[in-house]
Amino acid sequence: MCRWLAYSGSPIPLEELLVKRDRSLIDQSLHARQGATTTNGDGFGVGWYGDAETPWLYRSTHPAWNDRNLRELAAGISSRLFFAHIRASTGTAIQQTNTHPFRHGRWLWMHNGLIRGFPRLRRELLLAVDDSLFESIEGTTDSEAMFHLALTFGLESDPVAAVERTVGFVEETGRRQGIEHPVQMTVATTDGRTVWAFRYSSEGDSRSLYFSTRMDTLKALHPESTELAQLSDETRVVVSEPLGDLPGAWNEVPESHVGIVQPGADELRPFAPR
Amino acid sequence: MCRWLAYSGSPIPLEELLVKRDRSLIDQSLHARQGATTTNGDGFGVGWYGDAETPWLYRSTHPAWNDRNLRELAAGISSRLFFAHIRASTGTAIQQTNTHPFRHGRWLWMHNGLIRGFPRLRRELLLAVDDSLFESIEGTTDSEAMFHLALTFGLESDPVAAVERTVGFVEETGRRQGIEHPVQMTVATTDGRTVWAFRYSSEGDSRSLYFSTRMDTLKALHPESTELAQLSDETRVVVSEPLGDLPGAWNEVPESHVGIVQPGADELRPFAPR
Amino acid sequence: MCRWLAYSGSPIPLEELLVKRDRSLIDQSLHARQGATTTNGDGFGVGWYGDAETPWLYRSTHPAWNDRNLRELAAGISSRLFFAHIRASTGTAIQQTNTHPFRHGRWLWMHNGLIRGFPRLRRELLLAVDDSLFESIEGTTDSEAMFHLALTFGLESDPVAAVERTVGFVEETGRRQGIEHPVQMTVATTDGRTVWAFRYSSEGDSRSLYFSTRMDTLKALHPESTELAQLSDETRVVVSEPLGDLPGAWNEVPESHVGIVQPGADELRPFAPR
Amino acid sequence: MCRWLAYSGSPIPLEELLVKRDRSLIDQSLHARQGATTTNGDGFGVGWYGDAETPWLYRSTHPAWNDRNLRELAAGISSRLFFAHIRASTGTAIQQTNTHPFRHGRWLWMHNGLIRGFPRLRRELLLAVDDSLFESIEGTTDSEAMFHLALTFGLESDPVAAVERTVGFVEETGRRQGIEHPVQMTVATTDGRTVWAFRYSSEGDSRSLYFSTRMDTLKALHPESTELAQLSDETRVVVSEPLGDLPGAWNEVPESHVGIVQPGADELRPFAPR
């Protein structure tokens, strides 16, 4: 089981969420909590937006907790939108090209979960990837294949529909091969402005996904926090598991829903594979 | 908290103890058991004796559980005497030169535990290392420093006395600096023939250490086991935590003792710092 | 430009050819010779046969010249048949799954050269790989794709014909896409008994390939060499560039030929894509 | 032989000097020029100043030319003062703690060259390091030892005098042990404001060191360059070997001199060990 977080809002040093607080993402990677039985030591990745349209990546095959470069970068780099992902391999090789987030142009993608029976389905799924996208597949994970299917199905113009078609296609392909519940996922994707976060599984029993509470509400709840006071009202964090211990800070995304973090009011919509 | 095992006896592929069985050393590294709160993902090492007097080393900074080369070597290499160690850093850098076992000539050394206050004591301890040995110190761990102190104090001629002097010296140095309980250790060392395994801590509350039961007894207990039948009566395994689930297989080494695995009858002796 | 060697004959420690002599394979990787303009520092791999039918692999993304584990293994492991390969990437990622030799069952495969225009051809070439073999493709290189095409075309039953069909298929696919000279290769493959070594390029200007002289001839030339005296008359080495400086030791394989090292008389045959 | 560069001036993306231009630092690492016989593939490091007083580090044991994270960071990070170093080991282990630049508080240090006979001198040199600095020595190189000696001898208050005393001390220690020419070095150090660059060797035949020409002169020479036009007049680059091919861009630092890049007029002074 992987762990991830997506941050959008006032620029902060990455270390604020990755390293510093109790139950930070890196702390989570070291200490299994919430019933996860294995550690997340199979590499990690960070993707962040700076001045350019295209995000930058730092991805490593070492455990996040003992990577010194990660600590340096997390302290030295501030960003208004970043993704971080900590990997527990479900079987594919431990290599940089298999670590999340994946990037295509100005898009990022990361995934917690798996496509069941992926070794058997891989060929058929890859065949459905658009010819022009095929050569940018560099690794061997189910997650990267899903990303390229979503791009094929129009991620850049209508992200929710594209992911719905992707999941529908994977489920159909899987079921044809006798796999009962092909998809288990929480997925985050972004174009550098809006963040889409999906929670879905074929069996209706998806891994956890949380949105931070609206900043104005949170500030009202914790007027003493100078840290919160510095964050814009539009600041949001989406995580696979809650960070820190701030009461009232986290709201679970319901089954089969997609949350959309965007300028103006955020949205929560039902998600249904097509 | 690190984990280690020492094997001496009939030649077997390393994978028998490192990979294959339930609760193998690598399995232990991934799943925390016996109350250990963190994982052992900060590198590992294997030292084995082949045809030459000098043992060979394979040491890596990746987690043992996802290192493919380790699995290949563990399957491809058989040995009559090998050490394996899985590291959880107590603060020093994750680098090959800090992974156990350490080697000097035909000797190997590995350690679970720590010297408390080592950053403060390091200089003084290193100063006590014999000049001719100093340049072979390549890393920065307390464990490697102890090894070189033991070599300085005569490990190659009288191992038990040398380790007693080493521990005595570290305790004296530490206490002079106000450290109440300077030493916590289980240590294994070998010259390629005999294995010495020490259990000691200044506070008299040492980490666990187990010897496998005598093979003849174990075979009598489990006459059905074809695996045990293939092992010579002198075969022994020493481990920081029991491997597998064979009833009657493991005996705890008492506090402040050293066990000696050697041709002929093995020995268990009290251990006291000098 | 990669470099490789294949050894078959009396069991020797790998280090004899990889490390020890002047102009050993590792020495070649560090010092560019014979007009190669870049270094071979993009990883390396060794595959060797031991007691089992299946060979073992050690593959790393570090430069061969500074990998300590490689030196240990090369000293500690002896083998009667081994492949070694030092990589200079032609663009694909530096990762273990992209390092040679590749393995399938008891077969090994390694390659120096490239498929020109591979990013464009990749999808079509992968589609031709047999469904049952597809899931064992773990990396993204042209070399691994060729290996799986060769397996698809019958490598395990008729290696020369299978490689001829593979090259023919790659050339046809490439030319359809407007690539004038799609294939540049020296390839070695083995089933653990026989070694096939191919030299071919679409443009008829292939990278170098050398066979060692028959041992009986070489011993007669150098009666003073105790090292040669220990090797069986059937011992052969195939290399991309000559090792060492022994006069009379190396014979260039002609363009468009395949050499076959086998029990009994070795063979040299013309090679023509089908 | 290592290679390094120090940049001070208008903030630029690191990639401008590390990656982009012909004969960039990374290009130099791959292609041996100027008679260097080996490649620089034994790791690299970058230290840069951002908003904080303390610089950040990214250091890796992989070759710079194939490290994807380095390319991302070099594109994503801009800095007004940065050091970059590419290592060719003179014998010590390839590990992060042995890669330059080294950091202490707000200071950086990097070195090209060696202390001859260092394995023999190491103990005595380390003994002279101030007790409070000793525990921050993490690696095993001569370069890091020199840095800690310089800190001991007052680097933070009078850098030139401290380095003169360091070199004097190393020479005296070396000569007592029968080493004729103990020191060979070009060294750069900075406190985040001023850069000191030293060229010295005991034999008076030091490795090369170049300062970029004053920007106003360079702009006058190349009025067509929009790239130069963007750089402040105080911008300077110090390098072990010239980058790029701009005529008139580089001036060799004379033997036994130290160049000082600072606000206002830069300085060039004779350097003499004490």
Side-chain angles (χ1 to χ4, degrees):
Chain A
M1 202 181 102
C2 305
R3 285 148 205 274
W4 58 253
L5 76 77
Y7 175 89
S8 172
S10 305
I12 57 167
L14 310 188
E15 69 174 3
E16 288 298 329
L17 297 177
L18 268 52
V19 180
K20 270 194 171 173
R21 67 203 55 240
D22 181 41
R23 298 179 71 182
S24 70
L25 193 67
I26 288 180
D27 184 62
Q28 284 184 8
S29 77
L30 190 51
H31 302 279
R33 294 181 196 247
Q34 297 230 350
T37 52
T38 55
T39 30
N40 301 82
D42 297 333
F44 68 89
V46 178
W48 72 98
Y49 292 85
D51 296 334
E53 270 226 318
T54 304
W56 308 112
L57 294 179
Y58 177 61
R59 303 192 294 179
S60 162
T61 57
H62 283 90
W65 69 76
N66 71 28
D67 189 287
R68 291 187 174 198
N69 287 323
L70 177 58
R71 278 169 202 269
E72 297 282 322
L73 298 173
I77 294 170
S78 289
S79 176
R80 59 174 178 83
L81 201 171
F82 59 90
F83 278 18
H85 185 278
I86 294 196
R87 189 170 178 231
S89 168
T90 53
T92 41
I94 311 303
Q95 56 194 26
Q96 221 175 22
T97 56
N98 282 351
T99 57
H100 312 222
F102 301 100
R103 175 178 62 192
H104 181 83
R106 58 196 171 88
W107 287 76
L108 290 177
W109 174 279
M110 61 186 171
H111 171 218
N112 172 23
L114 77 165
I115 296 179
R116 293 196 182 84
F118 181 63
R120 251 187 302 152
L121 306 182
R122 187 177 162 212
R123 180 196 174 103
E124 201 170 341
L125 297 179
L126 290 182
L127 286 195
V129 170
D130 189 81
D131 205 11
S132 66
L133 293 162
F134 194 85
E135 65 176 88
S136 71
I137 298 177
E138 287 198 304
T140 51
T141 59
D142 47 1
S143 308
E144 190 193 22
M146 278 181 80
F147 181 31
H148 283 79
L149 285 170
L151 287 163
T152 299
F153 291 144
L155 183 73
E156 289 159 296
S157 52
D158 186 345
V160 176
V163 176
E164 287 179 340
R165 287 182 62 196
T166 297
V167 172
F169 177 75
V170 174
E171 289 191 327
E172 187 200 321
T173 307
R175 281 170 188 152
R176 227 185 305 116
Q177 301 267 357
I179 293 160
E180 198 182 352
H181 299 307
V183 176
Q184 168 66 261
M185 74 181 212
T186 62
V187 159
T189 188
T190 182
D191 60 357
R193 249 156 261 150
T194 302
V195 175
W196 293 264
F198 302 87
R199 185 182 186 209
Y200 177 78
S201 59
S202 307
E203 66 269 40
D205 183 17
S206 302
R207 296 183 178 183
S208 60
L209 185 63
Y210 296 85
F211 266 63
S212 61
T213 301
R214 282 171 54 105
M215 267 305 143
D216 48 1
T217 314
L218 214 51
K219 288 175 186 171
L221 270 171
H222 301 279
E224 77 293 352
S225 166
T226 54
E227 204 176 27
L228 289 175
Q230 291 163 17
L231 299 176
S232 73
D233 281 357
E234 297 220 16
T235 296
R236 284 269 194 197
V237 192
V238 192
V239 291
S240 56
E241 294 186 26
L243 308 177
D245 294 309
L246 201 61
W250 300 101
N251 308 286
E252 195 164 15
V253 175
E255 269 294 334
S256 304
H257 273 72
V258 52
I260 307 175
V261 177
Q262 58 197 351
D266 294 343
E267 274 182 78
L268 189 65
R269 291 199 223 158
F271 173 89
R274 299 186 183 188
Chain B
M1 200 181 105
C2 305
R3 285 148 205 273
W4 58 252
L5 76 77
Y7 175 88
S8 172
S10 306
I12 58 167
L14 310 189
E15 68 174 3
E16 289 298 329
L17 298 177
L18 267 53
V19 180
K20 271 192 168 174
R21 67 202 54 238
D22 181 42
R23 300 179 70 182
S24 70
L25 194 68
I26 288 180
D27 183 63
Q28 285 183 7
S29 76
L30 190 51
H31 302 278
R33 296 179 194 249
Q34 298 229 351
T37 53
T38 56
T39 31
N40 301 82
D42 297 333
F44 68 89
V46 178
W48 73 97
Y49 291 85
D51 295 335
E53 269 226 319
T54 305
W56 308 111
L57 294 179
Y58 176 62
R59 303 192 295 179
S60 162
T61 57
H62 283 91
W65 68 77
N66 71 27
D67 189 289
R68 290 187 177 198
N69 287 324
L70 177 58
R71 279 171 202 268
E72 297 282 323
L73 297 173
I77 294 170
S78 289
S79 176
R80 61 173 177 84
L81 199 171
F82 59 92
F83 277 19
H85 185 277
I86 295 194
R87 189 170 177 230
S89 169
T90 53
T92 42
I94 311 303
Q95 57 195 26
Q96 219 175 23
T97 54
N98 282 351
T99 56
H100 312 221
F102 302 101
R103 175 178 61 194
H104 182 81
R106 59 196 171 88
W107 288 77
L108 291 177
W109 173 279
M110 61 186 172
H111 171 218
N112 173 24
L114 75 167
I115 296 178
R116 294 199 181 82
F118 181 64
R120 248 187 306 152
L121 307 183
R122 186 176 162 213
R123 182 197 172 99
E124 200 170 341
L125 297 179
L126 289 183
L127 287 195
V129 170
D130 189 82
D131 205 11
S132 65
L133 293 163
F134 193 84
E135 66 175 87
S136 71
I137 298 178
E138 287 198 304
T140 51
T141 59
D142 47 1
S143 308
E144 190 192 21
M146 279 180 79
F147 180 31
H148 283 78
L149 286 170
L151 286 163
T152 299
F153 292 144
L155 183 73
E156 291 160 295
S157 52
D158 185 346
V160 174
V163 176
E164 287 179 339
R165 287 183 60 196
T166 297
V167 171
F169 177 74
V170 174
E171 288 190 328
E172 186 200 322
T173 307
R175 280 169 189 153
R176 228 185 305 116
Q177 301 268 355
I179 293 160
E180 198 184 351
H181 299 306
V183 175
Q184 169 64 265
M185 74 181 212
T186 62
V187 158
T189 189
T190 182
D191 60 357
R193 247 157 261 148
T194 301
V195 175
W196 293 264
F198 302 86
R199 185 181 184 208
Y200 177 79
S201 60
S202 307
E203 66 269 41
D205 184 17
S206 303
R207 295 183 178 181
S208 59
L209 185 62
Y210 296 85
F211 266 62
S212 62
T213 301
R214 283 170 54 106
M215 269 304 144
D216 49 0
T217 314
L218 214 50
K219 289 176 186 172
L221 270 172
H222 301 279
E224 76 293 353
S225 167
T226 52
E227 206 175 26
L228 290 176
Q230 290 164 18
L231 300 176
S232 73
D233 280 357
E234 297 220 17
T235 296
R236 284 269 194 197
V237 191
V238 192
V239 291
S240 56
E241 293 186 26
L243 308 176
D245 293 309
L246 201 61
W250 299 101
N251 308 287
E252 196 164 14
V253 174
E255 270 292 334
S256 304
H257 273 73
V258 50
I260 306 174
V261 178
Q262 58 197 349
D266 294 343
E267 274 182 78
L268 189 66
R269 292 198 223 158
F271 173 89
R274 300 185 184 191
Chain C
M1 203 182 103
C2 306
R3 284 148 204 272
W4 58 252
L5 76 77
Y7 176 89
S8 172
S10 306
I12 57 168
L14 310 189
E15 68 174 2
E16 289 298 329
L17 298 178
L18 268 52
V19 180
K20 272 194 169 173
R21 68 201 55 236
D22 181 41
R23 299 178 70 182
S24 70
L25 194 68
I26 289 180
D27 183 62
Q28 285 184 7
S29 76
L30 190 51
H31 302 279
R33 296 182 194 245
Q34 299 230 346
T37 53
T38 55
T39 30
N40 301 83
D42 297 333
F44 67 88
V46 178
W48 72 96
Y49 292 84
D51 296 333
E53 270 227 319
T54 304
W56 308 111
L57 294 178
Y58 176 61
R59 303 192 297 179
S60 162
T61 58
H62 283 90
W65 70 74
N66 71 27
D67 190 287
R68 291 188 175 198
N69 287 323
L70 176 59
R71 279 170 201 269
E72 296 281 323
L73 297 173
I77 294 171
S78 289
S79 175
R80 60 175 176 84
L81 200 171
F82 59 92
F83 277 19
H85 185 277
I86 295 197
R87 190 171 176 230
S89 170
T90 53
T92 42
I94 310 304
Q95 56 194 25
Q96 220 176 23
T97 56
N98 282 351
T99 56
H100 311 222
F102 301 101
R103 175 178 61 194
H104 181 81
R106 57 196 172 89
W107 287 75
L108 290 177
W109 173 279
M110 61 186 170
H111 171 217
N112 173 24
L114 77 165
I115 296 178
R116 294 197 180 84
F118 182 62
R120 251 188 303 153
L121 306 183
R122 187 176 162 213
R123 182 197 172 102
E124 201 170 339
L125 297 179
L126 290 182
L127 285 194
V129 170
D130 190 80
D131 205 11
S132 65
L133 293 162
F134 193 85
E135 65 175 87
S136 71
I137 297 177
E138 286 197 305
T140 51
T141 59
D142 47 0
S143 308
E144 190 191 22
M146 279 180 81
F147 180 31
H148 283 80
L149 285 170
L151 288 164
T152 299
F153 291 145
L155 184 72
E156 290 159 297
S157 52
D158 185 345
V160 175
V163 176
E164 287 179 339
R165 288 182 61 195
T166 297
V167 172
F169 177 75
V170 174
E171 289 190 327
E172 186 199 322
T173 306
R175 283 170 186 151
R176 227 185 307 116
Q177 301 266 355
I179 293 160
E180 198 183 351
H181 298 307
V183 174
Q184 169 65 263
M185 73 180 214
T186 61
V187 159
T189 189
T190 182
D191 60 357
R193 247 156 263 149
T194 300
V195 175
W196 292 264
F198 301 87
R199 184 181 185 210
Y200 177 79
S201 60
S202 308
E203 65 269 39
D205 184 17
S206 302
R207 297 184 176 181
S208 59
L209 185 62
Y210 296 85
F211 266 62
S212 62
T213 301
R214 284 171 53 105
M215 268 305 143
D216 47 3
T217 314
L218 214 51
K219 288 177 188 171
L221 271 170
H222 301 279
E224 76 293 353
S225 167
T226 53
E227 207 175 25
L228 290 175
Q230 290 163 18
L231 299 176
S232 73
D233 281 356
E234 297 219 16
T235 295
R236 283 270 195 197
V237 192
V238 192
V239 291
S240 56
E241 294 186 26
L243 308 176
D245 293 310
L246 202 61
W250 300 102
N251 308 287
E252 195 165 14
V253 175
E255 270 293 334
S256 304
H257 272 73
V258 50
I260 306 174
V261 178
Q262 58 197 350
D266 295 342
E267 273 181 81
L268 188 67
R269 291 198 224 159
F271 173 89
R274 301 185 184 191
Chain D
M1 202 182 104
C2 305
R3 284 148 204 273
W4 58 253
L5 75 77
Y7 175 89
S8 172
S10 305
I12 57 166
L14 310 188
E15 67 174 3
E16 289 299 329
L17 297 178
L18 268 53
V19 179
K20 271 193 169 176
R21 68 203 55 238
D22 181 42
R23 298 179 69 182
S24 69
L25 194 68
I26 288 181
D27 183 62
Q28 284 183 8
S29 76
L30 189 50
H31 302 278
R33 296 180 196 247
Q34 298 230 350
T37 51
T38 55
T39 30
N40 300 83
D42 297 333
F44 67 90
V46 179
W48 72 97
Y49 291 84
D51 296 334
E53 271 227 318
T54 305
W56 308 112
L57 294 179
Y58 176 61
R59 303 192 295 179
S60 161
T61 57
H62 283 91
W65 69 76
N66 71 28
D67 189 290
R68 291 187 175 199
N69 287 323
L70 176 58
R71 279 170 200 269
E72 297 282 321
L73 298 171
I77 294 170
S78 289
S79 175
R80 61 175 176 82
L81 201 171
F82 59 91
F83 277 19
H85 186 278
I86 295 197
R87 188 170 179 232
S89 169
T90 53
T92 42
I94 311 302
Q95 56 194 25
Q96 221 175 23
T97 55
N98 282 351
T99 57
H100 312 221
F102 301 100
R103 176 178 61 194
H104 181 81
R106 57 197 172 87
W107 287 76
L108 290 178
W109 173 280
M110 60 187 172
H111 172 218
N112 173 24
L114 76 166
I115 297 178
R116 295 198 181 83
F118 181 63
R120 250 187 305 152
L121 306 182
R122 187 176 163 211
R123 181 197 173 101
E124 201 170 340
L125 297 178
L126 291 182
L127 285 195
V129 169
D130 189 82
D131 205 11
S132 67
L133 293 163
F134 193 85
E135 65 176 88
S136 71
I137 297 178
E138 287 197 304
T140 51
T141 59
D142 46 1
S143 308
E144 191 192 22
M146 279 179 80
F147 181 31
H148 283 80
L149 285 170
L151 287 163
T152 299
F153 291 144
L155 183 72
E156 290 159 297
S157 53
D158 185 346
V160 175
V163 176
E164 287 179 339
R165 287 183 60 198
T166 297
V167 172
F169 177 76
V170 174
E171 289 190 327
E172 186 200 322
T173 307
R175 282 170 188 152
R176 228 185 305 116
Q177 301 268 354
I179 294 161
E180 198 183 352
H181 299 306
V183 175
Q184 168 64 263
M185 75 180 212
T186 62
V187 158
T189 189
T190 182
D191 61 355
R193 246 156 263 152
T194 301
V195 175
W196 294 263
F198 302 87
R199 184 180 185 210
Y200 178 78
S201 59
S202 308
E203 65 268 41
D205 183 17
S206 302
R207 297 186 176 180
S208 59
L209 185 63
Y210 296 86
F211 265 62
S212 62
T213 301
R214 282 171 54 105
M215 269 304 143
D216 47 2
T217 314
L218 214 50
K219 288 176 187 172
L221 270 172
H222 301 277
E224 75 294 350
S225 167
T226 54
E227 205 176 27
L228 290 175
Q230 291 164 18
L231 299 176
S232 73
D233 281 356
E234 297 220 16
T235 296
R236 282 270 194 196
V237 192
V238 192
V239 292
S240 56
E241 295 186 25
L243 307 177
D245 293 309
L246 203 61
W250 300 102
N251 308 286
E252 195 165 15
V253 174
E255 270 293 334
S256 304
H257 272 74
V258 51
I260 307 175
V261 177
Q262 57 197 350
D266 294 342
E267 274 181 79
L268 188 66
R269 289 198 224 158
F271 173 90
R274 298 183 186 193

